[in-house]
Amino acid sequence: MIKTAVVILNWNGKEFLEMFLGKVIEHSSGPDTEVYVADNGSDDGSCEYLESFKGSVKVLRLGKNHGFAGGYNLALSQIDARYYVLLNSDIEVTPGWLEPLTGFLDSDPGIASCQPKILSWKEKDHFEYAGAAGGFIDRYGYPFCRGRIFTNTEPDRGQYDTPVNIFWSSGACMALRAEAWHKAGGFDADFFAHMEEIDLCWRFHRLGYSISFVPQSKVFHVGGGALPYSSPFKTFLNFRNSLYLLYKNLPDDKLRKTVFTRKLLDGVAALSFLLKGQASAAGSVWKAHNEVRKQIKVLQEKRRMIGEMGGYKFPELILNKSIVFEFYIMKRKKYSSL
């Protein structure tokens, strides 16, 4: 068993491999660290390009696009390491980025996962959408971050430069304790992509683990590498998976009221899309809710299985407010103002 496996999941990301893989190898080298690229059935020449990295990168060919969740599940089942570090292909790492993450996991066996400071590759003095300085959710399942609420990202002025416990670590770059990963059952492959890391982290909390933000590590994320932020499919996944998250993890006494309110909020979101002329996005919201209705029995069985992991936890790390109300009505655009 090695100590650390840095694992990049790739799907038609040759452009990003050309841009960033060299730095991953350069800044992640060590006798107890290996770099893997797990390919989700790319047809853009990615695997051929990776042949030039023989000896420094191990390639896992997964055959087809299993999505983020299913792809990582397959890849990590083939890797024997103490720590898995999941890294998007569109991330530029920096010198010394890895040691603070693995060192943090070394410091406490009760930490299941941690993430670095994730900054924008395009605007390097600003936080990036996918993770920023650590993730949270509100009572209705909407995710947000220190440094990013909805589309509003803050400049990095050192305001989040202390390690803290967070609710979820970003799948764009997350260090995982392999033991905790396997104990929690890995990602839910039905999520395909988006919010599967939040679902996983909720299970970590149930099992008594904590998740942390480690600002001593810093990376730069392009964002939208596999799916553009404007993609209707991305909108569908975000709305559907957020509901999956609630159906799976909320207790019986909170589920009905919370989901009812969430449906109203999603209706408002769909109407807003229509008023902006974004009919495809509005349709994605409808499709998301229709898909959830079709999967109710599956979700009920998952609720039962998760319930066997331990008592329900509604930790203090969940904001007991509506982030939609705080952001759009109260105009609180920053984490520090919540």
Side-chain angles (χ1 to χ4, degrees):
M1 175 189 291
I2 59 168
K3 179 178 180 181
T4 306
V6 178
V7 189
I8 299 169
L9 185 68
N10 176 66
W11 179 69
N12 288 340
K14 180 184 176 185
E15 173 189 0
F16 295 120
L17 295 175
E18 291 173 337
M19 292 171 65
F20 301 128
L21 181 56
K23 285 192 175 181
V24 174
I25 295 167
E26 178 185 357
H27 300 314
S28 311
S29 60
D32 216 10
T33 300
E34 293 180 348
V35 177
Y36 290 79
V37 175
D39 188 77
N40 248 345
S42 297
D43 57 10
D44 67 341
S46 289
C47 290
E48 291 76 9
Y49 173 72
L50 289 168
E51 290 177 3
S52 63
F53 290 93
K54 283 183 178 178
S56 54
V57 173
K58 295 189 174 184
V59 179
L60 303 174
R61 296 196 181 204
L62 305 181
K64 65 177 184 178
N65 186 4
H66 299 274
F68 184 96
Y72 265 122
N73 284 350
L74 280 173
L76 299 188
S77 70
Q78 302 176 51
I79 299 172
D80 190 16
R82 188 188 312 167
Y83 303 140
Y84 304 131
V85 181
L86 313 189
L87 185 70
N88 276 16
S89 62
D90 61 340
I91 280 184
E92 178 183 8
V93 300
T94 60
W97 75 284
L98 188 57
E99 290 79 6
L101 298 175
T102 58
F104 211 82
L105 293 175
D106 285 341
S107 71
D108 184 350
I111 300 170
S113 176
C114 59
Q115 73 158 74
K117 180 186 291 188
I118 302 177
L119 299 171
S120 170
W121 185 78
K122 299 172 184 175
E123 196 174 6
K124 294 195 173 182
D125 62 346
H126 276 65
F127 289 101
E128 209 278 322
Y129 179 91
F136 297 87
I137 60 171
D138 78 347
R139 65 184 301 167
Y140 301 113
Y142 287 98
F144 62 98
C145 303
R146 298 197 313 162
R148 188 274 294 175
I149 299 179
F150 292 114
T151 57
N152 185 66
T153 56
E154 299 178 36
D156 176 21
R157 299 288 184 261
Q159 66 270 42
Y160 303 120
D161 274 0
T162 53
V164 296
N165 286 336
I166 55 179
F167 187 71
W168 57 272
S169 54
S170 172
C173 183
M174 67 189 306
L176 291 160
R177 186 178 305 278
E179 180 183 17
W181 160 271
H182 292 291
K183 190 174 181 181
F187 290 130
D188 182 342
D190 287 344
F191 277 60
F192 189 78
H194 300 303
M195 298 194 191
E196 64 287 302
E197 75 267 55
I198 305 177
D199 176 61
L200 173 66
C201 288
W202 205 327
R203 277 177 274 137
F204 284 153
H205 288 296
R206 274 187 177 270
L207 293 169
Y209 289 103
S210 61
I211 297 114
S212 300
F213 167 67
V214 183
Q216 291 79 15
S217 175
K218 179 172 68 175
V219 300
F220 296 98
H221 187 207
V222 174
L227 274 176
Y229 289 125
S230 59
S231 164
F233 185 49
K234 194 182 195 84
T235 301
F236 164 78
L237 289 173
N238 280 331
F239 278 86
R240 185 199 67 175
N241 291 353
S242 188
L243 288 166
Y244 277 4
L245 188 73
L246 296 176
Y247 271 106
K248 285 182 63 179
N249 292 288
L250 286 175
D252 293 340
D253 63 344
K254 292 183 182 294
L255 181 63
R256 182 173 296 183
K257 182 178 179 180
T258 301
V259 170
F260 176 77
T261 304
R262 177 58 194 262
K263 287 180 178 178
L264 293 178
L265 291 169
D266 284 2
V268 172
L271 179 61
S272 176
F273 284 137
L274 283 174
L275 293 175
K276 293 176 183 177
Q278 299 172 358
S280 60
S284 294
V285 178
W286 165 255
K287 289 177 184 177
H289 281 260
N290 191 44
E291 183 67 18
V292 171
R293 283 193 291 272
K294 292 178 181 178
Q295 297 299 320
I296 284 295
K297 289 185 178 180
V298 175
L299 292 167
Q300 288 173 341
E301 176 60 18
K302 290 181 178 181
R303 282 170 59 80
R304 184 193 65 76
M305 294 174 64
I306 289 173
E308 293 175 357
M309 288 185 174
Y312 170 77
K313 294 186 184 299
F314 199 78
E316 68 278 3
L317 298 172
I318 295 178
L319 180 71
N320 195 27
K321 300 178 183 179
S322 166
I323 195 68
V324 173
F325 179 82
E326 295 295 317
F327 185 86
Y328 289 106
I329 306 301
M330 302 304 295
K331 305 300 181 183
R332 292 170 178 158
K333 308 289 187 179
K334 297 181 179 181
Y335 176 85
S336 59
S337 65
L338 295 176

